[in-house]
Amino acid sequence: MRFNRKDILGIREMGSDEIELILDTARSLRDIITRTIKKVPTLRGRTVVTLFYEPSTRTRTSFELAAKYMSADTVNISTSTSSVRKGETLKDTARTLEAMGAEMVIIRHPVAGAPHFLARNLRASVVNAGDGMHEHPTQALLDLFTIREKKKRLKGLKIAIVGDILHSRVARSNIWGLRKMGAEVVVSGPSTLLPPESATLGVKATHRVEEALEGADVVMVLRLQLERQRKGLFPTVREYTRYWGINRERLRLARDDALLMHPGPFNRGVEVSSDLVDGNQSVINKQVTNGVAVRMALLFLLLGGKPDEISR
Amino acid sequence: MKLVVKGGRVIDPGTGVDGLMDLRIEDGTIVEVGENLKPDAAKVIDATGKVVIPGLIDVHTHLREPGYEWKETIATGTRAAAAGGFTAVCCMPNTNPVLDNPGQVTYVLEKARREGKVAVYPIGCITKGSRGEELTEIGYLREAGVVGLSDDGLPVENAEVMRCALEYARMFNLPVISHCEDRHLAGDGVMNWGPASTAAGLKGIPASAEEVMVARDLILAAATGGRLHLAHISTAGSVRLVREAKRRGVAVTCEVTPHHLTLTDRFIQESGYDTNTKVNPPLRTDADVAALREGLADGTIDIIATDHAPHHTDDKEVEYNYAAFGISGLDTALPLMVTELVGGGYLTLNQLVEKMCLNPARVFGLSRGRIETGGRADLTIIDPEERRTVDVSRFYSLGKNSPFLGRELTGWPVVTIAAGVVVHGEGK
Ligand SMILES: [Zn+2]
Ligand SMILES: [Zn+2]
């Protein structure tokens, strides 16, 4: 299959064959990361801009490393170091990037749809590194990659996603991706943090976390944004942990070989107990490594690499 | 100026007329309605194959002047109204300063007299500064010329203030217009709350944010006997509440906008987060659109009003959350309604005229909206055949913020005559 997309804005618009191609490409590229000399000249001379309107060292570093391993040049623009903070509009920033000749822009933005706005206004490829509550497609791709690698398949698996589903772009992208790849998804959290009419997302929703965990192949725990408590969506962190925190006892409800995942950064002892983070079911560190591989694959495919070029 | 409008199908539900007829106009007045009128010295407007209706009346327009002249002015807004087939608009008071005293109202009326293309009827504030605390001088406002009261955009949160407004305005026979929105429930939402907001990842405004205020105001209207007019209702629940209240005899009327009758929340993501879809109340669901259309047809909803809310491109060419709420509607309202509602079989052309001329005049006490001898010569001539694509660069409004860009519509107004003067179209 050929990959011909200008932008990666969300998983929802993607076909399962496209997802498959990205995961396969990432598989071939991941070996580069484990080499001692981690550079391939594939994207030499190409310019990748990271444009971050929200702080996220984790995601930005992952993209930067991906670009560096492929020998691309990177330019970082973030809210604290540029005109972004001085109130330049996104439209004007887009014009500047266009004038700079950027070939790819990776954007993280607190408002859903900001990457779409940029994509409309730029010839460059735009990659959504998280927009508002909409999507975080590269996170979902690295999660799919990690699950597929461990479980050798995605189809037919039962995935429990636990936490603040309503506000989570990670949950959205994972739901679309997992559903497209044939997995079954159950979401759980306090009813004030579950989306309205969850069935329209193709998932089952329950406020009883035990029900979601029962027989799960993968337990994906979301980061709890503590400001939701201040908005009155749940009474206290203590009570949240009491009902939805994932601990060893609860994890036992899942399959014995169930994977524990978390997009990070985590609140130890809140949404997930500390021993589980470091335990043998946890693949949290694998997620980080795979994140770089998946992002390398996207840079490669978007900047016009042919899938067979890297298998050599 | 003397005019004879010849050969058109004249539709006026106010007088029960629907047939081929000629109209003679002299000095701003219709002096003769009949067949085969001789032109004499008058200028002839050939309306053969066209439909002649009373000039449209928009009861919910934001003209933005004074204070926001880069978004719209009285001159440009009324020019857009004329192009859209409107011969009168009621302008909302959320200008800067707001229209909360007789001096401000006089200023707008004076400006409109000099620069306006069509008649302008100001709406005054309910409360001083639209702060929701103390009533304005409603008597003086009435004397200055307001035809209704509203704190549009800023719902009157305090129920006691709303109760007093309904009670007091009743003495002056002014409708109190409520922008129904519970601001806590609406929060910082930017689109309708539901599956579409979940998928789009934007904060939702639930239907309940509108409906709890509709319910509250209906209860207050029933308790006081005051005249309540609900602005831009947008949900199936609101339609149900109003229908039930009308059945009980509550003095309530309400309006709906063309965009709430034709677009849904799914369009926001489909359009790639086009900020021209951002409006308050937000675009709702298919079920809401169906209920609104049904409410229009069965008389629950009295009026189609544009809530024309022009904005500068700088207010819209930004991220969705940062964009201003509002749709520029005067230029497209009529063809949109002819195409979608009449063309779709939801309303007859006669009913549409009722919703856009007759009922607006009745609810706001305006002596217009009919075609009769001795009446004011406000007429709109529609070409039911003309198909044209919506092109914002052809808008007369300064506000190019339309989500209907590229839609092919029929029923465009070809000539608008206000007080006997051609203000838009051929012969202007
Ligand atoms: Zn309003
Ligand atoms: Zn308004």
Side-chain angles (χ1 to χ4, degrees):
Chain A
M1 115 148 239
R2 270 172 51 87
F3 190 81
N4 47 26
R5 230 172 226 288
K6 174 178 160 291
D7 313 297
I8 302 286
L9 302 178
I11 301 288
R12 194 188 183 192
E13 302 84 57
M14 278 188 190
S16 55
D17 51 346
E18 271 178 289
I19 295 174
E20 206 106 38
L21 174 68
I22 295 167
L23 300 186
D24 290 345
T25 309
R27 180 75 201 79
S28 328
L29 285 166
R30 204 192 40 184
D31 300 337
I32 297 172
I33 307 172
T34 46
R35 282 185 206 155
T36 19
I37 300 161
K38 295 184 171 53
K39 267 206 168 186
V40 290
T42 323
L43 298 180
R44 176 159 294 149
R46 317 295 293 268
T47 306
V48 174
V49 176
T50 59
L51 177 62
F52 274 54
Y53 287 80
E54 269 181 357
S56 171
T57 321
R58 191 176 272 260
T59 305
R60 209 195 57 223
T61 311
S62 180
F63 270 109
E64 257 177 67
L65 281 176
K68 285 205 172 104
Y69 293 166
M70 310 283 287
S71 302
D73 299 322
T74 56
V75 178
N76 301 318
I77 306 174
S78 62
T79 47
S80 51
T81 59
S82 74
S83 52
V84 165
R85 201 180 196 178
K86 293 179 206 115
E88 186 180 78
T89 64
L90 187 54
K91 190 171 131 193
D92 291 332
T93 304
R95 290 212 178 116
T96 310
L97 294 172
E98 190 77 38
M100 278 166 61
E103 286 166 281
M104 179 184 291
V105 179
I106 292 151
I107 179 173
R108 157 72 60 100
H109 200 291
V111 179
H116 303 68
F117 180 92
L118 207 57
R120 266 203 302 276
N121 286 285
L122 280 179
R123 273 190 297 267
S125 287
V126 173
V127 177
N128 180 0
D131 63 328
M133 305 183 290
H134 172 233
E135 284 222 37
H136 191 351
T138 58
Q139 177 70 43
L141 289 167
L142 75 88
D143 289 340
L144 294 175
F145 184 90
T146 307
I147 299 169
R148 194 180 73 160
E149 190 174 55
K150 287 284 176 187
K151 296 286 174 195
K152 308 292 173 224
R153 66 187 170 111
L154 290 162
K155 202 177 168 68
L157 295 181
K158 179 182 172 181
I159 320 286
I161 308 180
V162 181
D164 178 1
I165 313 296
L166 180 61
H167 299 96
S168 172
R169 54 191 172 213
V170 174
R172 299 268 195 301
S173 289
N174 263 304
I175 288 168
W176 301 128
L178 288 163
R179 296 287 302 127
K180 280 176 203 288
M181 303 311 283
E184 178 199 341
V185 181
V186 184
V187 300
S188 184
S191 50
T192 44
L193 295 178
L194 293 177
E197 300 162 69
S198 302
T200 59
L201 296 171
V203 302
K204 259 192 280 186
T206 170
H207 65 271
R208 291 188 57 244
V209 75
E210 291 77 12
E211 202 180 301
L213 295 176
E214 194 75 55
D217 296 283
V218 176
V219 178
M220 207 177 266
V221 185
L222 300 175
R223 176 179 166 78
L224 184 69
Q225 302 286 343
L226 301 176
E227 82 236 28
R228 308 289 174 221
Q229 186 266 325
R230 288 193 293 278
K231 294 216 165 130
L233 292 164
F234 61 91
T236 60
V237 169
R238 189 174 81 134
E239 182 154 310
Y240 180 89
T241 306
R242 165 83 177 82
Y243 289 102
W244 296 280
I246 301 301
N247 51 33
R248 185 157 301 281
E249 195 191 331
R250 286 208 169 112
L251 192 59
R252 264 192 217 112
L253 295 168
R255 290 173 56 100
D256 294 342
D257 60 351
L259 306 178
L260 178 78
M261 304 178 79
H262 193 299
F266 32 78
N267 305 298
R268 278 180 190 260
V270 177
E271 69 264 15
V272 60
S273 66
S274 209
D275 57 324
L276 288 186
V277 171
D278 309 317
N280 56 3
Q281 283 176 277
S282 164
V283 291
I284 296 172
N285 287 330
K286 283 271 180 319
Q287 286 174 273
V288 177
T289 316
N290 293 339
V292 179
V294 161
R295 288 170 179 125
M296 286 169 79
L298 284 180
L299 299 187
F300 180 77
L301 292 170
L302 284 172
L303 292 177
K306 308 254 178 322
D308 52 346
E309 248 171 62
I310 36 164
S311 43
R312 279 184 273 124
Chain B
M1 199 180 203
K2 294 181 179 180
L3 295 171
V4 172
V5 179
K6 281 192 79 69
R9 174 184 165 199
V10 176
I11 297 182
D12 176 27
T15 51
V17 168
D18 183 353
L20 292 179
M21 229 161 280
D22 299 348
L23 304 169
R24 185 188 306 282
I25 296 162
E26 279 173 20
D27 303 323
T29 305
I30 299 171
V31 293
E32 197 180 356
V33 180
E35 281 165 49
N36 299 317
L37 298 187
K38 297 257 160 13
D40 294 334
K43 184 179 145 48
V44 175
I45 295 177
D46 181 11
T48 311
K50 307 205 166 59
V51 176
V52 183
I53 59 173
L56 307 180
I57 302 168
D58 188 26
V59 303
H60 194 141
T61 307
H62 294 272
L63 289 178
R64 305 294 191 209
E65 189 177 352
Y68 304 102
E69 287 83 357
W70 64 91
K71 292 177 191 265
E72 192 81 289
T73 64
I74 290 169
T76 58
T78 55
R79 181 68 188 88
F86 294 89
T87 55
V89 297
C90 300
C91 62
M92 283 293 159
N94 63 337
T95 46
N96 186 16
V98 296
L99 309 185
D100 67 350
N101 66 65
Q104 285 301 330
V105 173
T106 306
Y107 171 83
V108 166
L109 281 172
E110 185 53 32
K111 198 97 204 257
R113 194 183 58 77
R114 279 185 285 127
E115 297 173 11
K117 291 282 174 205
V118 304
V120 173
Y121 293 100
I123 303 292
C125 295
I126 300 172
T127 62
K128 295 190 184 101
S130 277
R131 281 187 297 271
E133 292 160 5
E134 297 168 28
L135 294 187
T136 51
E137 293 173 320
I138 291 172
Y140 279 120
L141 286 174
R142 165 95 237 196
E143 286 178 42
V146 308
V147 297
L149 301 164
S150 177
D151 281 355
D152 190 41
L154 296 163
V156 179
E157 233 164 75
N158 184 325
E160 169 62 1
V161 173
M162 193 61 172
R163 185 193 69 80
C164 291
L166 285 161
E167 195 85 73
Y168 193 87
R170 194 162 58 105
M171 297 187 291
F172 300 94
N173 197 26
L174 286 176
V176 177
I177 305 166
S178 177
H179 164 117
C180 290
E181 179 184 2
D182 180 296
R183 301 180 79 192
H184 294 288
L185 283 172
D188 47 6
V190 294
M191 69 177 286
N192 184 44
W193 160 277
S197 66
T198 299
L202 292 168
K203 276 254 177 76
I205 301 173
S208 58
E210 174 173 314
E211 291 159 8
V212 297
M213 283 298 243
V214 168
R216 182 200 76 172
D217 289 347
L218 288 172
I219 290 166
L220 293 174
T224 57
R227 285 181 59 198
L228 175 67
H229 177 76
L230 302 173
H232 47 58
I233 64 166
S234 68
T235 75
S238 295
V239 175
R240 208 181 313 120
L241 287 163
V242 173
R243 186 178 287 132
E244 188 272 339
K246 281 192 165 183
R247 204 173 290 147
R248 282 189 291 125
V250 178
V252 60
T253 53
C254 66
E255 70 192 36
V256 62
T257 72
H259 45 271
H260 289 113
L261 288 164
T262 51
L263 293 174
T264 67
D265 54 3
R266 269 178 298 127
F267 183 59
I268 293 165
Q269 208 176 356
E270 282 164 17
S271 69
Y273 296 85
D274 178 2
T275 53
N276 293 321
T277 60
K278 185 175 171 184
V279 65
N280 189 16
L283 303 174
R284 306 285 189 183
T285 66
D286 287 314
D288 294 306
V289 169
L292 291 168
R293 290 175 172 187
E294 206 183 299
L296 263 183
D298 74 10
T300 302
I301 303 174
D302 305 87
I303 292 173
I304 296 170
T306 64
D307 196 4
H308 175 72
H311 286 295
H312 192 270
T313 49
D314 287 352
D315 302 319
K316 284 291 193 181
E317 284 198 341
V318 291
E319 294 88 326
Y320 206 87
N321 287 5
Y322 310 153
F325 286 98
I327 288 173
S328 179
L330 284 172
D331 284 85
T332 52
L334 178 61
L336 199 56
M337 293 296 89
V338 170
T339 308
E340 301 294 333
L341 293 193
V342 179
Y346 298 96
L347 286 184
T348 63
L349 201 46
N350 268 278
Q351 281 175 306
L352 185 68
V353 174
E354 257 176 61
K355 307 291 181 187
M356 298 185 82
C357 313
L358 192 63
N359 292 349
R362 177 175 56 79
V363 172
F364 288 84
L366 316 177
S367 52
R368 50 204 312 148
R370 288 161 174 261
I371 297 176
E372 58 193 346
T373 308
R376 197 184 149 100
D378 280 353
L379 300 168
T380 297
I381 304 175
I382 305 173
D383 185 347
E385 302 302 321
E386 190 188 352
R387 303 188 73 81
R388 208 209 298 159
T389 303
V390 176
D391 173 2
V392 291
S393 69
R394 288 183 63 174
F395 276 20
Y396 286 92
S397 169
L398 293 182
K400 312 300 179 194
N401 47 308
S402 171
F404 298 106
L405 176 69
R407 266 217 201 195
E408 200 186 59
L409 302 176
T410 60
W412 294 85
V414 286
V415 175
T416 308
I417 300 169
V421 178
V422 177
V423 289
H424 176 72
E426 166 207 355
K428 182 175 165 273

